[in-house]
Amino acid sequence: MPKKRKAEASGDIVQVGNKLISLEGYLSKKPRKDIAAPGQSDPVAAGAVSAASSPPALTSSSGSRSTQIPVTASSSASSPLTGDPQFFAARQSLPLWTRRDEIRGILRQKDVLVLVGETGSGKSTQVPQYLFQEPWCRSRKVKVKAGAGTEEARVGGMIAITQPRRVAATTLAHRVSREAGTPLSEHNSGGGGANGAVSKGLVGYSVRFDHRVPPGTKIKYLTEGMLLQELLRDPHLKQYSAIIVDEVHERSVDVDLLLGFLKQIVSGDKAGRGGVPLKVVIMSATADVEGIRRFFSESVSHSPGSQPSLMPKSGTSVDFLQIEGRQFPVDIVHTPKPVPDIQQALLKLVFKFHTEEALSDKHGRKDILAFLTGQEEIEAAQKLIEEYASTLASNLPKLKVFPLFGQLSMEAQHEAFQPVKGGFTRKVVLATNIAETSVTVPGVRYVIDCGKAKVKQFRPRLGMESLLAKPISKSSAIQRAGRAGREGPGKCFRLYTEETYETLQETDLPEILRTDILSAVLTMKARGIDDVLSFPLMDPPEVESVEKALLHLHILGALSDDGSITETGRKMVLFPVTPPYARVLLAAAEAKYDCLLEAIDIISCITAGEDIFLQLRSEEAKEEAEEYRKELSRREGDLLTYLTTMQLYAAENTDRAQWCKDRKIHVRNMKQALNIRKQLRGLCVREGMMEPPPPDPQPFTPTSPEQAAVILKCFLKGFALKTAILAPDSSYVTSHGKHVVAIHPSSVLHGQKKEAIMFLEHVYTQKNYAKKVSAIQASWIADALEE
DNA sequence: TGAGAACTC
């Protein structure tokens, strides 16, 4: 117990999904003093293993496990069979270990394996290590089909394992590289790994802006998006012998596309791989496996790169394994009657638990995690709980509330993972869905579930999306409850009745059915999928959604009249932005607009993930930042404001972090924006769209109103459909669809009346809102659509 | 007067 607590108290390790994640460089800038010196053991990693794979009660109760494993424990050198001996015992204690021969056996005979492994089974770290020495996992020189003829090529040798999130990919790679005995050196540390700078290694990773694939890499962790990019370059994934798709149950758009492409490779002819089969392992945390099995078992009518064949290929035979997880029991309680007021019910439950339950037991702390829908609800609940807590008798333990949502700064998020200071205090974490999949809060033994989550849904007919709180699925409710049983027996209180639970959908709607599939369709077209509607998808979107996307791509010039991809479309897929932004970049390079650097600056800010501007809710925060923000904001609207911000930021030569703080700008997002700017500039230079720009810092010169107009006209090439005209009654009516929209309060144009506006986002929340708004002239809209 | 969570050559 003390050992485990220590590892967690370092704050470096939390769980992400069912895996351990190092928060180093993610939540804290604090140097790691607990990194092992060369040749010594690494206490953080060792503690992490026991924390992840074996809850303390299980390890201490199984006496046989405490005996040393004789195989390699005495050997100090790592062998490829066992990896680093100091991790070997822990690896052997994982539930997956006894199944490793079964897994190998299946994959020697079949190409597809579906592996359901519950939380804590260790599948993300272990499965690739079981497979990389298999006979089918060798690189071979073969003749592959290339165009009309054949050519010699190396096929196979590597295993890719995909993750939905970047932190998961990088931290798993670090973890597994240590287990394998060839640690990746710590980032920018100049030799923090066991051998200093490692020149060769079995394990690598690849995520945007961060690639570490040492020579000899056999196991490569990457994001789903990264593997999709690789697919565009090499449709047959020739360098791989196997692809492991992890966290499939999250059903991101990217994973759905990947499964489609993988199905085509597996069930198509193997000429493009010189006859070498590709093994596919699908890993999921939920047992909803029948859909995946059916998906791979059904035949496809054509293989990648070839025309649809009249002779359907036979389906692939799929095997299935279920691995037991390690989870403590969780008592689930529903409310007997529907709850009229979530906030009141939450308050009551928090204090009931707080006053009746001990602060900790033999399993550790007993903290509370409540799932709410959004920032507003969380902040209201926080205020309520804090007010009530201040009235508690002084002999009772204290209560400290931590909000947790994506828009919080890294520092604020970090606090929710730390044990509270002062032993006589209980932690209450009020979180959005971020705590359901992306991060795990240690110490939680009591979960309160409001039964809802905000969900984004795209409405193809209206060309807009909505973001509204909706009932969660059963699978999501089970996932939330499970968060109470990670470290000891727990309790989950649901703020809805059992009858309501029974009416919930089994699973969440996959993202591909909820979002704009514009990018997905262009990706398919670029990969040579002529008939997008027949591309194999587990959950095909409505025909209407696909048609809308095709039409939109045609308007953007990415598709010709017959639906084939154009040269413009081929250029658009080269950029890591959605098609409308890619179209703007191409237009900006034309002599007519000639504003590529400016367009890149703006698009970098917008696509940097979350908004670079922190939301200023309180009046005092607004006043504080107002003076500074004045120099950024432009009367032409948000786009020119982004441009000015990026230009001033890039010109800033002294303390960029302080510069951001003064202006209430998200430091991390701004850094990301600068990275994207560099990447886009590089791509534009490579594509011959511009000369290499001079390096920063460049002196700031304000954009003239004339130049601003050119930039906005250029953006209309991508967003002509997202415009609205001021009506006589002072509302804005969209030129496409004739809906009334209001300018979102986050816009610098909020509350202003302009002849016409262009907006890059269109979201229904409380109202129909236009976001990222610019003032334009009505006549520009027709001009942009004409050519 | 208001923003669930990710991701890209």
Side-chain angles (χ1 to χ4, degrees):
Chain A
M1 215 311 255
K3 237 184 190 154
K4 174 170 178 274
R5 278 277 86 80
K6 218 172 190 173
E8 273 179 358
S10 77
D12 278 2
I13 307 284
V14 292
Q15 281 184 305
V16 169
N18 58 344
K19 293 167 300 295
L20 278 164
I21 291 303
S22 157
L23 294 179
E24 187 200 358
Y26 173 60
L27 291 178
S28 153
K29 278 274 145 237
K30 193 177 61 178
R32 280 179 63 162
K33 51 183 177 294
D34 45 14
I35 284 283
Q40 289 180 342
S41 71
D42 180 340
V44 173
V49 174
S50 63
S53 55
S54 45
L58 293 184
T59 16
S60 56
S61 64
S62 86
S64 60
R65 197 169 290 141
S66 62
T67 53
Q68 279 298 309
I69 284 81
V71 192
T72 52
S74 58
S75 149
S76 61
S78 67
S79 100
L81 271 174
T82 55
D84 188 328
Q86 68 169 311
F87 298 109
F88 194 54
R91 289 179 58 200
Q92 285 184 309
S93 76
L94 286 166
L96 205 59
W97 179 258
T98 54
R99 312 292 291 273
R100 68 196 190 288
D101 284 336
E102 215 176 326
I103 294 169
R104 290 190 190 119
I106 289 171
L107 283 166
R108 283 181 191 183
Q109 313 218 339
K110 307 211 171 162
D111 289 345
V112 182
L113 168 63
V114 181
L115 195 66
V116 173
E118 289 165 31
T119 306
S121 63
K123 60 190 186 326
S124 306
T125 56
Q126 302 308 303
V127 173
Q129 297 189 76
Y130 298 161
L131 298 180
F132 79 94
Q133 287 172 306
E134 286 295 281
W136 49 260
C137 199
R138 276 196 289 268
S139 159
R140 277 173 266 181
K141 216 174 203 172
V142 289
K143 281 206 184 329
V144 301
K145 201 172 126 190
T150 59
E151 62 181 31
E152 283 248 305
R154 286 215 153 266
V155 174
M158 259 207 285
I159 296 176
I161 168 160
T162 68
Q163 294 295 321
R165 282 169 290 280
R166 304 179 52 187
V167 270
T170 56
T171 50
L172 278 167
H174 273 110
R175 169 82 211 147
V176 173
S177 70
R178 288 201 295 265
E179 286 189 8
T182 59
L184 288 161
S185 54
E186 293 297 329
H187 218 48
N188 302 329
S189 68
N195 305 315
V198 175
S199 56
K200 222 165 133 54
L202 284 172
V203 186
Y205 66 83
S206 185
V207 302
R208 191 180 191 183
F209 303 130
D210 198 1
H211 307 267
R212 312 189 79 196
V213 187
T217 293
K218 297 285 286 180
I219 299 168
K220 182 158 114 186
Y221 286 85
L222 32 59
T223 49
E224 293 158 357
M226 199 53 85
L227 190 60
L228 272 181
Q229 290 302 321
E230 291 189 4
L231 258 163
L232 285 178
R233 289 196 301 274
D234 177 11
H236 303 283
L237 296 173
K238 284 198 284 290
Q239 53 177 327
Y240 299 106
S241 292
I243 308 291
I244 302 172
V245 190
D246 202 3
E247 311 282 19
V248 170
H249 58 278
E250 292 190 24
R251 294 296 304 276
S252 65
V253 174
D254 284 353
V255 100
D256 278 13
L257 289 179
L258 270 181
L259 292 181
F261 288 126
L262 290 174
K263 172 173 173 159
Q264 290 193 327
I265 295 174
V266 166
S267 58
D269 72 61
K270 308 283 191 302
R273 293 176 55 89
V276 178
L278 181 72
K279 307 283 181 183
V280 173
V281 183
I282 311 288
M283 305 209 294
S284 172
T286 58
D288 173 38
V289 89
E290 195 38 48
I292 301 171
R293 199 214 306 242
R294 207 180 316 120
F295 176 72
F296 273 94
S297 303
E298 281 166 1
S299 58
V300 283
S301 56
H302 60 282
S303 56
S306 72
Q307 290 304 309
S309 139
L310 288 174
M311 280 242 287
K313 304 276 177 207
S314 59
T316 309
S317 93
V318 178
D319 233 314
F320 159 67
L321 266 187
Q322 175 129 19
I323 310 293
E324 69 283 8
R326 282 176 177 169
Q327 171 86 9
F328 290 95
V330 175
D331 265 351
I332 294 175
V333 185
H334 294 87
T335 53
K337 284 185 294 186
V339 173
D341 185 338
I342 293 277
Q343 298 275 348
Q344 280 301 323
L346 175 73
L347 188 73
K348 258 192 213 160
L349 278 170
V350 165
F351 284 97
K352 184 172 164 14
F353 184 81
H354 183 55
T355 50
E356 290 177 4
E357 299 276 339
L359 265 186
S360 63
D361 64 7
K362 62 173 179 173
H363 299 288
R365 296 200 309 269
K366 295 180 78 171
D367 292 334
I368 302 172
L369 169 65
F371 285 98
L372 299 171
T373 56
Q375 181 178 355
E376 196 175 357
E377 212 180 60
I378 286 169
E379 283 171 351
Q382 176 174 13
K383 206 169 156 229
L384 221 64
I385 294 169
E386 281 171 350
E387 271 169 19
Y388 195 86
S390 65
T391 68
L392 281 182
S394 58
N395 61 335
L396 278 172
K398 298 259 177 300
L399 201 58
K400 190 148 171 45
V401 182
F402 296 91
L404 181 60
F405 46 88
Q407 273 286 65
L408 277 180
S409 70
M410 279 303 170
E411 294 73 32
Q413 285 194 27
H414 195 191
E415 283 189 54
F417 301 109
Q418 299 279 33
V420 272
K421 296 187 182 73
F424 203 51
T425 307
R426 193 192 308 272
K427 197 164 77 173
V428 183
V429 177
L430 306 176
T432 60
N433 247 4
I434 193 170
E436 197 180 301
T437 50
S438 300
V439 293
T440 292
V441 184
V444 170
R445 299 282 292 284
Y446 193 64
V447 162
I448 301 170
D449 173 15
C450 77
K452 290 187 170 170
K454 282 193 179 166
V455 180
K456 206 176 238 181
Q457 185 131 25
F458 181 68
R459 322 252 161 125
R461 204 167 298 174
L462 304 174
M464 65 177 292
E465 50 194 6
S466 61
L467 183 64
L468 300 168
K470 293 257 175 78
I472 58 173
S473 66
K474 279 184 191 163
S475 151
S476 188
I478 293 164
Q479 179 79 10
R480 287 180 174 190
R483 295 281 150 172
R486 302 297 284 260
E487 299 179 5
K491 254 191 198 168
C492 171
F493 201 97
R494 292 178 173 157
L495 298 178
Y496 44 97
T497 63
E498 195 160 3
E499 291 72 44
T500 304
Y501 173 78
E502 288 305 328
T503 65
L504 297 178
Q505 299 286 318
E506 288 298 323
T507 54
D508 291 298
L509 213 52
E511 198 188 5
I512 202 164
L513 300 183
R514 294 187 288 107
T515 49
D516 192 357
I517 51 171
L518 199 62
S519 294
V521 171
L522 187 59
T523 301
M524 289 184 217
K525 287 285 183 183
R527 240 304 310 280
I529 311 296
D530 296 325
D531 181 6
V532 170
L533 284 168
S534 74
F535 182 77
L537 287 172
M538 294 230 314
D539 291 275
E542 304 262 334
V543 174
E544 191 189 354
S545 303
V546 179
E547 284 170 348
K548 277 276 173 190
L550 290 168
L551 187 68
H552 194 172
L553 288 170
H554 182 257
I555 292 170
L556 291 173
L559 300 179
S560 55
D561 292 346
D562 65 1
S564 61
I565 191 163
T566 60
E567 269 316 298
T568 301
R570 290 204 181 281
K571 281 210 144 185
M572 282 164 63
V573 289
L574 297 175
F575 295 96
V577 295
T578 56
Y581 289 119
R583 185 67 191 88
V584 171
L585 288 173
L586 296 181
E590 294 168 19
K592 183 178 171 190
Y593 298 103
D594 190 27
C595 59
L596 191 49
L597 283 174
E598 290 85 350
I600 289 172
D601 282 356
I602 295 167
I603 291 171
S604 305
C605 290
I606 291 171
T607 60
E610 303 306 317
D611 207 317
I612 56 168
F613 294 112
L614 288 166
Q615 55 263 33
L616 305 177
R617 261 200 135 97
S618 75
E619 280 308 314
E620 49 184 319
K622 276 183 189 170
E623 274 172 35
E624 220 179 284
E626 194 181 15
E627 272 307 304
Y628 283 111
R629 281 206 184 172
K630 238 185 233 169
E631 60 168 342
L632 307 177
S633 94
R634 294 270 306 212
R635 48 194 210 86
E636 291 92 344
D638 299 320
L639 296 195
L640 271 295
T641 300
Y642 281 121
L643 175 61
T644 310
T645 306
M646 177 53 93
Q647 288 176 336
L648 282 168
Y649 178 78
E652 173 65 25
N653 209 5
T654 50
D655 190 346
R656 282 183 171 171
Q658 188 57 45
W659 189 91
C660 288
K661 268 185 195 140
D662 290 339
R663 288 153 187 80
K664 300 274 187 279
I665 287 170
H666 219 295
V667 181
R668 179 174 47 112
N669 293 350
M670 200 64 213
K671 270 190 193 153
Q672 174 80 350
L674 200 67
N675 271 332
I676 294 172
R677 177 180 185 254
K678 191 174 156 201
Q679 183 184 36
L680 292 178
R681 284 178 165 201
L683 286 168
C684 288
V685 170
R686 191 193 73 185
E687 293 304 309
M689 292 157 64
M690 68 178 186
E691 294 299 314
D696 291 327
Q698 288 295 308
F700 170 72
T701 42
T703 307
S704 70
E706 295 74 28
Q707 175 67 353
V710 172
I711 294 167
L712 292 179
K713 284 179 188 171
C714 179
F715 269 80
L716 274 173
K717 294 299 287 182
F719 295 89
L721 297 180
K722 289 209 191 299
T723 49
I725 305 217
L726 191 68
D729 67 350
S730 296
S731 65
Y732 288 100
V733 177
T734 60
S735 33
H736 181 247
K738 306 292 177 207
H739 303 288
V740 174
V741 286
I743 296 176
H744 193 272
S746 64
S747 169
V748 297
L749 292 186
H750 175 67
Q752 297 190 35
K753 295 187 191 357
K754 303 281 179 186
E755 172 190 342
I757 53 170
M758 166 178 66
F759 46 93
L760 309 191
E761 289 167 19
H762 191 183
V763 186
Y764 181 84
T765 50
Q766 309 287 317
K767 260 194 208 172
N768 206 345
Y769 279 118
K771 299 175 82 174
K772 314 228 161 57
V773 186
S774 298
I776 58 166
Q777 290 174 23
S779 61
W780 299 354
I781 303 170
D783 292 348
L785 281 171
E786 254 166 32
E787 303 154 43

